[in-house]
Amino acid sequence: MRLVSTRDASAAQHSYTDVLLSGLAPDGGLYTPEEYPKVTLDELRALKGASYETVAFVIKQKLVGDAIPSVELRSLVDSTYIEPAFANEKGQVTPVTDVGRNLKLQNLSLGPTASFKDMAMQLLGREMDYELARRKDSLTILGATSGDTGSAAEAAFKGLGSVELFMLSPEVGMSAFQRAQMGALSGGNIRNISIRGRFDDCQDLVKAVKQDSEFAALGAVNSINWGRISSQVPYYFSGYLQAVKEVGEEVDFVVPSGNFGNVFSGYVAKRMGLPIRRLVVATNENNVLSRLMQTGVYAQKEAVITSSPSMDISKASNYERLAFDLFGRDATKLSAYMHEFNTTGLVSFLDHGLSVEAFLALGFESGSSTHEERIRTIQDIYKDTGIVIDPHTADGVCVAKKRDIQEVPVICLATALPVKFEETIREALGFVPERPARFVGLEEEMKQGSFITMDADVEALKSQLRA
Ligand SMILES: *Cc1c(COP(=O)(O)O)cnc(C)c1O
């Protein structure tokens, strides 16, 4: 199991652990498997009824190869998906629940910070710590968050002696709960920097700092890190195994999407042999991805702040990994395509020899929702099932309901708990969702000075990092 950069025509190979610690490839590309490993239907059958840890270990092992010995990997996985970090419901770490005819929810948000990002981040922290200890090394990480990545990363890295984490977040846009979560985790090896700007400004700052050779070795925890993508693949297997009667039947997944990380993991699962018929990419008003899939035109658009803020993006970093496959893994063609997008903010399939049918051929569909539609979806699901879903999950369910009734199980990924977005839930249902015990009194834990506030200024940020 080796990885290549999407922009490297020589296809030099890298190990899982090298890639884990580095983030973007030096040529600006993203690391992706040289070949997708395969899972047979017999192997899948053997996993039916298995614990989440077992499914996660079997799938991760295929994606890690011999870069981490099996015994070590097994113990990293086993120590990740257990209580108290992951509240285990009905014996499942990612339980699937029926919410309509052939419509199911897979809850991915039982981790410490109540979003699906914990699923990968908790394992990523352990894998990085393991590898850094083996190398007798340490790592400084600079990340950017629109809300959920920040707390998920901080919860995963808090207290690790091998890692120092700086997290940039926009001064406005995050929910009060998200800000309080990060505030409560600050201190020690965790530093929060609040940027006077948008999420895109934070992301641009991270890129700009890393272009300076002095800071080139900074690690990454956003979803361009292959460690995160690979740790999201197992829950597609777990969801599938819970949803089907017989292994071999097909299912659809609907995925609330922003940076295209989550749904790309689903695509990897499909390429590994999981019987997924369609991967439905659901976006909010920031519909860059759904327009791309419907028109073949990838056009950057300034993000607007919505009620599903973790999906408020102007471009989708992980799409490059899919585009690499769309171009038949031709790094030269892919580089030309991405270069045009990165310099002009707009690129069309027409000019690069592709057609929009290419998405469907790989199993992709897409749709989007508005704020009003999400509110109505939260109301409908609550009326029908008594379940309160969060606005990101509502985006996926709304897109699923706009399709005709399907003949196969449709699994909507529930990417956050509603408690993170109390204002929107109150708007929809007239009450705020009950808080799991671990979040009661969160705001009071927020210490004075838990955020340093700065302008979106590269030089100022560099000085802060040096200090
Ligand atoms: C991050 C996030 C998303 C978007 O996931 P991507 O991997 O960026 O597509 C969706 N919902 C929630 C709640 C998130 O935190």
Side-chain angles (χ1 to χ4, degrees):
M1 178 65 215
R2 310 289 280 179
L3 297 121
V4 294
S5 161
T6 51
R7 297 196 198 170
D8 176 12
S10 79
Q13 301 182 349
H14 309 270
S15 76
Y16 179 82
T17 36
D18 283 343
V19 162
L20 179 70
L21 299 177
S22 63
L24 265 191
D27 54 28
L30 274 67
Y31 291 112
T32 198
E34 190 211 0
E35 244 175 74
Y36 297 106
K38 296 289 178 230
V39 178
T40 65
L41 287 183
D42 279 340
E43 284 176 290
L44 263 185
R45 275 183 209 106
L47 287 174
K48 186 114 170 107
S51 68
Y52 187 81
E53 301 89 281
T54 297
V55 174
F57 167 68
V58 170
I59 302 306
K60 268 298 293 215
Q61 197 183 27
K62 288 182 186 278
L63 294 163
V64 168
D66 56 10
I68 302 177
S70 299
V71 190
E72 307 285 356
L73 184 65
R74 179 83 215 201
S75 109
L76 291 170
V77 169
D78 283 352
S79 64
T80 301
Y81 300 107
I82 50 168
E83 293 186 86
F86 283 87
N88 186 314
E89 243 179 43
K90 298 185 281 188
Q92 282 294 341
V93 173
T94 61
V96 171
T97 310
D98 285 317
V99 290
R101 187 179 152 222
N102 269 350
L103 193 63
K104 295 167 191 290
L105 276 183
Q106 184 180 5
N107 188 348
L108 302 178
S109 310
L110 297 177
T113 71
S115 87
F116 85 98
K117 291 191 170 71
D118 290 323
M119 292 299 298
M121 206 71 89
Q122 285 287 317
L123 186 53
L124 184 80
R126 285 171 174 82
E127 286 179 355
M128 280 187 170
D129 195 42
Y130 160 82
E131 185 60 17
L132 288 166
R134 206 184 60 77
R135 297 181 184 202
K136 300 190 174 52
D137 205 352
S138 64
L139 185 67
T140 301
I141 294 174
L142 176 64
T145 182
S146 60
D148 291 331
T149 302
S151 58
E154 293 177 5
F157 290 93
K158 180 89 188 164
L160 294 186
S162 58
V163 173
E164 188 163 21
L165 175 63
F166 291 83
M167 186 56 68
L168 310 185
S169 56
E171 203 177 20
V172 290
M174 287 197 295
S175 76
F177 186 93
Q178 287 175 316
R179 207 174 150 80
Q181 277 185 306
M182 289 178 63
L185 287 160
S186 78
N189 64 330
I190 307 290
R191 314 285 170 82
N192 284 312
I193 301 181
S194 185
I195 298 294
R196 294 188 190 99
R198 297 281 177 85
F199 170 61
D200 284 323
D201 298 312
C202 299
Q203 230 176 4
D204 290 344
L205 279 171
V206 172
K207 275 208 177 134
V209 168
K210 285 185 182 173
Q211 266 157 21
D212 182 336
S213 58
E214 182 189 347
F215 296 101
L218 287 172
V221 286
N222 58 346
S223 60
I224 56 150
N225 188 313
W226 173 251
R228 272 189 61 187
I229 299 292
S230 63
S231 292
Q232 293 171 170
V233 178
Y235 56 67
Y236 285 88
F237 282 83
S238 174
Y240 173 85
L241 290 165
Q242 292 174 69
V244 297
K245 290 194 192 70
E246 294 253 359
V247 167
E249 289 169 18
E250 292 189 307
V251 304
D252 292 349
F253 277 95
V254 182
V255 188
S257 294
N259 246 330
F260 205 73
N262 195 353
V263 73
F264 187 79
S265 299
Y267 167 76
V268 173
K270 180 171 163 65
R271 293 298 298 259
M272 289 174 77
L274 189 66
I276 298 174
R277 190 185 62 159
R278 293 273 186 271
L279 287 157
V280 184
V281 177
T283 65
N284 63 21
E285 289 86 343
N286 297 294
N287 58 357
V288 171
L289 275 170
S290 54
R291 287 192 9 204
L292 163 67
M293 300 217 153
Q294 282 156 22
T295 63
V297 177
Y298 186 27
Q300 185 166 357
K301 209 172 69 174
E302 191 174 346
V304 296
I305 294 176
T306 73
S307 50
S308 45
S310 301
M311 294 158 54
D312 294 346
I313 50 96
S314 63
K315 53 183 181 238
S317 318
N318 278 291
Y319 163 58
E320 176 161 346
R321 289 187 161 110
L322 182 70
F324 184 54
D325 285 2
L326 292 170
F327 282 105
R329 309 211 125 206
D330 183 324
T332 308
K333 283 187 187 160
L334 184 275
S335 300
Y337 175 79
M338 287 314 301
H339 180 74
E340 185 173 333
F341 177 74
N342 289 330
T343 48
T344 66
L346 182 94
V347 68
S348 168
F349 270 11
L350 280 180
D351 303 329
H352 291 263
L354 289 179
S355 83
V356 67
E357 284 77 38
F359 286 119
L360 191 59
L362 292 180
F364 284 95
E365 264 182 46
S366 66
S368 61
S369 75
T370 62
H371 175 72
E372 287 67 32
E373 290 173 319
R374 291 190 292 278
I375 293 289
R376 213 173 320 121
T377 304
I378 293 169
Q379 292 167 342
D380 290 347
I381 290 287
Y382 183 68
K383 194 156 51 81
D384 295 347
T385 67
I387 297 171
V388 182
I389 57 173
D390 101 291
H392 303 77
T393 307
D395 174 77
V397 174
C398 175
V399 168
K401 287 190 161 194
K402 282 186 191 175
R403 302 164 84 214
D404 297 331
I405 291 196
Q406 305 292 313
E407 293 314 313
V408 302
V410 178
I411 305 169
C412 298
L413 298 186
T415 52
L417 292 189
V419 58
K420 297 193 96 163
F421 306 97
E422 287 176 345
E423 281 172 38
T424 306
I425 303 304
R426 185 187 287 122
E427 179 184 342
L429 301 177
F431 61 85
V432 294
E434 199 184 321
R435 280 196 186 189
R438 63 191 194 280
F439 299 124
V440 174
L442 182 70
E443 286 83 347
E444 287 76 70
E445 279 176 53
M446 182 135 142
K447 299 174 277 290
Q448 270 285 312
S450 43
F451 286 83
I452 303 165
T453 304
M454 286 178 42
D455 288 332
D457 180 278
V458 184
E459 289 312 315
L461 177 58
K462 286 180 185 171
S463 316
Q464 187 68 46
L465 291 170
R466 287 194 195 98

